[in-house]
Amino acid sequence: MVELKNTTATIKLNTGASIPVVGLGTWRSTEADDGYKAVRKALEVGYRHIDTAAIYQNEGQVGKAINDSGVPRNEIFVTTKLWCTQQHNPKEALEQSLKRLGLDYVDLYLMHWPVSLSPRTIKDGNLLTIPVREDGARDVEISDWNFIKTWELMQELPATGLTKAIGISNFSINNIKDLLASPGNKIVPAMNQVELHPLLPQQELIDFCHSKGIIIEAYSPLGSNNAPLLTQKTIIEVAKKNNVTPAQVVISWHVQRGYVVLPKSVNADRIVANLKTFTLSKEDFDAVSNISKVEGEKRIVVPDWSPFVPFV
Ligand code: A2P
């Protein structure tokens, strides 16, 4: 029998701060008080890392749960993200996030996508949306703005104390190379949060980021909505063999690969179980790693940012 334990391990960021390797994802934890209840449960059972984003529309619930939890603020690692319509003014966006969260600072502020969206068609002032042009396409700013300009502005944020660290999300190797090579680059991102799971193992991206001192975080680690990976044959076999759940197999596989993993759940029992991981045998680890080689790779989160193509 394998030993399942609450995962308390941390990884050091290039800022010197420690980040817990298992964090609670909160994308789609928005309905009613789903986000509030999930974060309260998570903090109660031992999670010390909560991931949200302005566009998830749940910062209010998430922050309230953090504040109501009784866990000292400095024991919780909190991440939120800059939405694409606010890339021209990340400081203002972060201040708004903190107001919604009811927090004085976050531990990590990420550029959500390497894409800027023009807010010009937004009439009601709510920037947390996806503006579209008259032809129905997303209003992507391609000629007059880019992620390098956004990063230059984000680099001013750690000195304000509003965030302890800054990072990026959904960045490919080529886009990171461009960012690091830009003349205005002074800070190496602490983090790159990307879609990552057994059907999208991203080994090359992980190796590249680690070589630059950038930690990787896996979003949609179970395959996103409804966790399609948990009905995959090999994962079920490994789960049965070890007397654990399929989710525990997948989350443990992520942990063993040496990065941060952000399983999302609003279900109390799953929140408890998802923090408990074990060490896979080499045979089981290799079997899970092999799934994408047999079934082919599959990216699930592919928004249309044309003409910008993020994953090249
Ligand atoms: P729920 O929130 O109802 O638990 P990902 O982390 O890859 O984005 O996956 C999230 C999806 O996986 C959600 O549909 C979530 O549903 C479901 N999920 C999370 N943990 C488990 C688990 N332990 N077993 C089954 N499904 C899970």
Side-chain angles (χ1 to χ4, degrees):
M1 272 270 283
V2 293
E3 195 187 358
L4 280 168
K5 276 203 215 142
N6 259 8
T7 315
T8 54
T10 58
I11 296 182
K12 267 228 153 58
L13 301 178
N14 62 16
T15 57
S18 294
I19 183 166
V21 299
V22 177
L24 181 75
T26 66
W27 182 26
R28 299 194 177 101
S29 307
T30 307
E31 287 304 306
D33 53 358
D34 272 356
Y36 180 81
K37 286 197 290 204
V39 172
R40 280 301 299 268
K41 185 71 196 176
L43 292 173
E44 179 196 316
V45 302
Y47 287 72
R48 289 295 177 266
H49 175 182
I50 309 292
D51 183 272
T52 183
I55 195 65
Y56 298 171
Q57 317 274 1
N58 62 10
E59 288 174 307
Q61 301 185 36
V62 166
K64 183 164 167 35
I66 290 167
N67 283 322
D68 290 353
S69 70
V71 179
R73 172 67 187 90
N74 64 5
E75 290 178 16
I76 310 173
F77 194 102
V78 182
T79 300
T80 194
K81 311 185 191 86
L82 171 68
W83 184 236
C84 306
T85 52
Q86 297 194 281
Q87 293 212 353
H88 294 244
N89 201 341
K91 179 159 181 277
E92 186 180 88
L94 176 54
E95 284 164 349
Q96 291 169 357
S97 276
L98 290 171
K99 196 158 173 223
R100 286 186 292 266
L101 285 159
L103 299 177
D104 299 331
Y105 69 92
V106 287
D107 297 275
L108 179 62
Y109 194 50
L110 302 178
M111 189 187 325
H112 205 144
W113 285 90
V115 182
S116 179
L117 289 170
S118 170
R120 67 192 149 186
T121 56
I122 297 173
K123 299 277 182 282
D124 64 1
N126 179 13
L127 295 169
L128 301 184
T129 185
I130 298 179
V132 290
R133 296 193 307 254
E134 269 173 19
D135 63 3
R138 294 175 170 206
D139 204 353
V140 172
E141 291 190 297
I142 195 97
S143 51
D144 42 0
W145 196 260
N146 58 43
F147 57 76
I148 288 171
K149 292 184 182 178
T150 310
W151 188 250
E152 281 177 13
L153 297 175
M154 285 184 72
Q155 290 181 132
E156 294 164 16
L157 297 177
T160 66
L162 300 175
T163 184
K164 305 266 184 214
I166 51 172
I168 52 184
S169 180
N170 295 298
F171 268 64
S172 64
I173 291 177
N174 284 332
N175 287 338
I176 298 171
K177 281 184 180 164
D178 286 350
L179 185 129
L180 295 179
S182 67
N185 183 260
K186 290 180 291 210
I187 297 183
V188 176
M191 181 66 73
N192 185 21
Q193 184 179 124
V194 294
E195 179 182 339
L196 189 48
H197 45 69
L199 285 177
L200 193 67
Q202 305 249 45
Q203 190 62 51
E204 202 187 339
L205 179 66
I206 295 170
D207 292 343
F208 175 79
C209 285
H210 285 176
S211 78
K212 300 290 178 195
I214 303 169
I215 301 298
I216 288 277
E217 279 178 331
Y219 76 70
S220 299
L222 306 174
S224 197
N225 220 7
N226 299 322
L229 278 167
L230 306 186
T231 50
Q232 199 281 338
K233 193 171 101 313
T234 306
I235 290 169
I236 290 177
E237 274 167 20
V238 173
K240 280 199 181 132
K241 182 175 146 190
N242 290 286
N243 200 21
V244 300
T245 69
Q248 286 165 333
V249 170
V250 177
I251 296 165
S252 301
W253 174 82
H254 282 290
V255 170
Q256 224 160 314
R257 294 180 83 213
Y259 50 77
V260 176
V261 54
L262 302 167
K264 172 265 174 185
S265 182
V266 292
N267 174 297
D269 293 340
R270 293 170 181 171
I271 290 171
V272 173
N274 289 352
L275 187 62
K276 296 184 193 297
T277 58
F278 69 103
T279 305
L280 279 80
S281 67
K282 182 170 181 332
E283 187 192 348
D284 291 346
F285 181 85
D286 290 347
V288 177
S289 301
N290 214 35
I291 293 171
S292 65
K293 293 179 194 135
V294 177
E295 298 193 3
E297 293 199 356
K298 187 172 176 204
R299 189 184 284 279
I300 293 157
V301 183
V302 270
D304 181 6
W305 299 119
S306 55
F308 183 81
V309 183
F311 303 121
V312 287

